[in-house]
Amino acid sequence: MAVQGHRRKGAVVAGALAGSLALGLLAVSGCAGRGPGGGPAGDAAHGRGSSQVRQVREAAGPAADPVRALAAVRHAPAALARAGGARVRTSMETVSGGTRLTIRGRGVYDFARPVGRLTVMLPEGAAGRAGHRPITEVFSPGALYMKNRGAGVPAGKWVRLDTGALADGDLLTSGATDPLAAAELLGGAREVAYAGEERIEGVRVAHYWGTVDLSRAAQAAPERDRAALAAAAKGFSSGTVGFDAYLDEQGRPRVLRYRFGMAEAAAAGGGGAPTGAGRRPVTTAAAPAAVAPSGASAPAASVASVGEGVAKARPSGLPSPMTVVSTVELFSFGLRPDIALPAPAEIYAGTVASPQK
């Protein structure tokens, strides 16, 4: 999906401090945020960056006012709920060293209900195998259902995960950020900058970027969704995430993008990394994603498995920086998708192995 319009001309978002919390196999790296022009995000606070921000504000008029920009972004979840249903494309790109893996998904979402369904698939080579069956994911408040997940789950059975019990609140675990959660994160937006007017597939959008305070997002979300976002606020080291949001004239998100910086920590002493469900993503810097939306069309799957594939591509025992960029694209608003939750008899009640085992 091509974006046309003005390039960003400055930054007013200060990067969050890199954390040092290690969760399972993923530990914080020192990834530095980079501004829209390719330089450090902090440049906006000095000299030329500040001048460019003023120029953008003067050219855009009221739209560039920081107070109005913040209000527009925080209002996006409500605008999405009023829109009803929509088609969804997702992508989650993992970059580590010279290895780049992208997991993609597509489906539909009823934001009024709310419930959504995506089809995702592990990319070839991510876990050392090809032809992984597509995984069906159903999102509902407090729960994530996955079918064809593998890892010892009988064929045709669903696995139910409590999103409030996941360390990342299911922002990355399933390989596709829950589109509703992606929108509700904006309720915790702060230090928002207007980056100009652009077009996405012919639709005029306003481009904003900034940081999200995860704790604030959890407090602003409806009670039904607070547990998952509260878990993310506790599980992510810095407590903030950088974002880009493209909102149409009705205030609805057309593209939402979040950037997570990580590192893969190997066990010391050459003993190898432990296995199990300890792999948990953590944020390190609130750098805006600064990547143009792309027309993702293929389906995708679990970021934990993708991370494992990246680990196999380099010598063991060496920590490697990793970046995960999660994107949600919304279009064809006004749909009324028929999405059914799995029946209790269809849900597997046995022990589920970790994807990286």
Side-chain angles (χ1 to χ4, degrees), residues 126-325:
R129 65 185 184 275
H132 191 284
R133 296 180 63 189
I135 298 175
T136 302
E137 299 182 359
V138 172
F139 303 89
S140 67
L144 167 67
Y145 300 88
M146 305 176 73
K147 187 177 182 180
N148 295 333
R149 181 181 182 273
V153 179
K157 286 288 188 178
W158 293 83
V159 174
R160 184 188 185 280
L161 301 179
D162 179 356
T163 54
L166 299 175
D168 70 337
D170 192 31
L171 295 183
L172 298 177
T173 295
S174 65
T177 300
D178 179 346
L180 179 62
E184 291 180 341
L185 282 175
L186 296 179
R190 68 183 192 188
E191 299 170 315
V192 176
Y194 175 72
E197 181 182 290
E198 304 179 14
R199 287 187 178 272
I200 297 178
E201 295 186 348
V203 177
R204 182 180 300 173
V205 296
H207 181 186
Y208 301 93
W209 64 294
T211 57
V212 164
D213 182 311
L214 295 173
S215 294
R216 179 180 293 175
Q219 295 170 4
E223 184 175 356
R224 68 180 185 232
D225 302 320
R226 286 177 188 166
L229 293 178
K234 294 178 181 178
F236 282 61
S237 61
S238 69
T240 59
V241 179
F243 76 88
D244 285 273
Y246 299 78
L247 310 182
D248 64 19
E249 294 179 340
Q250 287 74 45
R252 303 171 301 192
R254 290 286 178 155
V255 175
L256 297 173
R257 178 170 288 106
Y258 296 92
R259 184 182 182 97
F260 305 86
M262 310 179 188
E264 227 176 333
T275 59
R279 184 183 297 275
R280 290 190 263 181
V282 294
T283 60
T284 61
V291 180
S294 60
S297 58
S302 169
V303 72
S305 298
V306 171
E308 181 187 11
V310 172
K312 291 179 179 178
R314 59 176 22 85
S316 61
L318 297 177
S320 59
M322 180 185 295
T323 298
V324 178
V325 178

